Amino acid sequence: MAIQIFGTSKSFDVKKTERYFAERRIPVQKVDLKEKGISKGELESVVSLLAKKTGSRSEAIEMLADKKNKDYASFAYLDDEDKFEKLLESPLLLVQPVVRNGKEAATVGYAPEIWKEWSCL
């Protein structure tokens, strides 16, 4: 499966991420959060992959939320399942980019040091 990049075309970090993979001739599938959003299955997959690293689903969900976003205040005091639903409803609340390597790994933000370790690279 190709690398998936979730983000918007205006995000500087998304552009850097696309350039990182393009320079290495690694095929990617870009999902524009503004146009398409993120499906429940995709978000669930990302959360479970991040939870393996953090040790907790709630930490993984919190890691995905952009604290600088103007809508973060409406997110901060929700319980975990409501936070998950809020991210589905408002995908622009996600930290960008969210990069997923199939069912193996996922990252939040620009993380080339982690991508170097992925087996497909």
Side-chain angles (χ1 to χ4, degrees):
M1 174 183 232
I3 303 292
Q4 285 183 302
I5 301 172
F6 297 90
T8 60
S9 55
K10 288 189 174 188
S11 168
F12 181 68
D13 283 342
V14 171
K15 290 177 185 176
K16 284 192 328 186
T17 300
E18 290 174 334
R19 187 169 48 250
Y20 175 90
F21 288 107
E23 287 171 354
R24 287 153 183 79
R25 293 188 171 100
I26 299 166
V28 299
Q29 175 192 9
K30 182 172 182 235
V31 179
D32 193 319
L33 293 174
K34 201 171 209 172
E35 290 177 19
K36 188 174 181 239
I38 188 167
S39 76
K40 185 172 185 170
E42 289 167 334
L43 184 58
E44 189 62 55
S45 173
V46 169
V47 168
S48 65
L49 290 168
L50 292 173
K52 286 179 186 176
K53 278 197 259 181
T54 64
S56 143
R57 179 179 166 84
S58 61
E59 285 181 48
I61 291 171
E62 194 63 42
M63 177 191 285
L64 284 166
D66 184 359
K67 293 168 181 54
K68 298 176 194 165
N69 189 301
K70 62 180 172 51
D71 295 329
Y72 182 76
S74 66
F75 173 87
Y77 298 103
L78 298 172
D79 65 24
D80 289 343
E81 200 50 45
D82 290 339
K83 286 181 178 182
F84 182 84
E85 293 301 321
K86 181 72 172 177
L87 291 175
L88 274 178
E89 293 168 14
S90 307
L92 296 179
L93 190 56
L94 291 166
V95 172
Q96 295 181 42
V98 174
V99 181
R100 183 172 74 158
N101 180 6
K103 302 236 184 253
E104 298 173 25
T107 59
V108 179
Y110 185 72
E113 64 284 349
I114 295 172
W115 304 329
K116 287 178 189 174
E117 298 171 7
W118 288 357
S119 61
C120 68
L121 308 184

